[in-house]
Amino acid sequence: QVQLQESGPGLVKPSETLSLTCTVSGVSITSYHWNWIRQPPGKGLEWIGYIHYSGNSDYNPSLKSRVTMSVNTSNKQFSLRLKSVSAADTAVYYCAGEGTPGSYAFDLWGQGIMVTVSS
Amino acid sequence: SYELIQPPSVSVSPGQTASITCSGDKLGDKYACWYQQKPGQSPVLVIYQDNKRPSGIPERFSGSNSGNTATLTISGTQPMDEADYYCQAYGSSTYVFGTGTKITVL
């Protein structure tokens, strides 16, 4: 059974760095483009960026200056770092996979992790 | 930046057809997909590449995309279809989500 599981702190202080990890099971980490997507409370979805097992990545231009993604194929994990966070970064963060090349659609999702930015 | 606009809400009676539109500049030139999200749950892909259904998605879900508008249609809407629905496309080097539509089945 394919599963994605987000992990990391649920509370981050303003101006600090948010760090999350997604662990992939039931599918090869080389099979997908791996993405991070977030959803502020009561609001819509926002794509943060993707990373490929090769290390290729791309980020939402609106967040690009603050985002870094990485992948660890041995541990079947990929990670998100978002620096200089503020209250506006409070959201549920999802990891997601784009399984069909060229579909630009996310057919695998983690359960999400709520991250609150507050002192 | 690229934007996708959806109506905030749609109401439908059980058994009737619900349609949600998603508007964006030359959206028909891109692939559109749709997600269903129920409260407290992760989104679920229901349509990809304009009109394809992933395995396990009921046949009552269908999609189309032409011009500036993509449309998700739910035929024979069931109470379990009550949820938020988001369109999504790839444009201007980003994956863009629509503003979201809440479907109420009453």
Side-chain angles (χ1 to χ4, degrees), chain B residues 21-37:
Chain B
T21 57
C22 174
S23 299
D25 185 45
K26 297 180 182 178
L27 180 55
D29 292 344
K30 313 175 196 303
Y31 276 138
C33 61
W34 293 88
Y35 301 89
Q36 176 193 72
Q37 187 180 32

Side-chain angles (χ1 to χ4, degrees), chain A residues 35 37 39 43-47 50 58-61 94 98 100 102-107 109-112, chain B residues 31 33 35 37 40-45 47-49 54 86 88-90 92-99:
Chain A
N35 295 261
I37 293 158
Q39 185 172 35
K43 296 188 178 180
L45 300 162
E46 180 182 33
W47 176 73
Y50 84 78
D58 198 10
Y59 306 140
N60 188 322
Y94 296 100
E98 178 189 339
T100 303
S103 70
Y104 303 110
F106 309 116
D107 52 356
W109 291 73
Q111 66 183 26
Chain B
Y31 276 138
C33 61
Y35 301 89
Q37 187 180 32
Q41 298 184 18
S42 304
V44 173
L45 181 67
I47 292 290
Y48 70 100
Q49 289 183 344
Y86 294 91
Q88 178 243 304
Y90 180 78
S92 301
S93 301
T94 68
Y95 294 79
V96 178
F97 288 94
T99 49

Side-chain angles (χ1 to χ4, degrees), chain B residues 47-98:
Chain B
I47 292 290
Y48 70 100
Q49 289 183 344
D50 297 339
N51 53 23
K52 295 181 170 64
R53 278 179 294 103
S55 174
I57 300 302
E59 290 184 7
R60 64 179 181 273
F61 288 90
S62 63
S64 63
N65 185 17
S66 179
N68 295 322
T69 304
T71 302
L72 174 70
T73 302
I74 310 174
S75 305
T77 306
Q78 299 187 9
M80 68 173 66
D81 300 328
E82 187 163 287
D84 293 327
Y85 290 82
Y86 294 91
C87 61
Q88 178 243 304
Y90 180 78
S92 301
S93 301
T94 68
Y95 294 79
V96 178
F97 288 94

Side-chain angles (χ1 to χ4, degrees), chain A residues 6 32 44 46 48 61-62 64 66 74 108 111 114 116:
Chain A
E6 302 91 347
Y32 283 68
E46 180 182 33
I48 300 171
S62 68
K64 196 167 190 172
R66 299 194 292 131
S74 300
L108 272 182
Q111 66 183 26
M114 180 68 206
T116 301

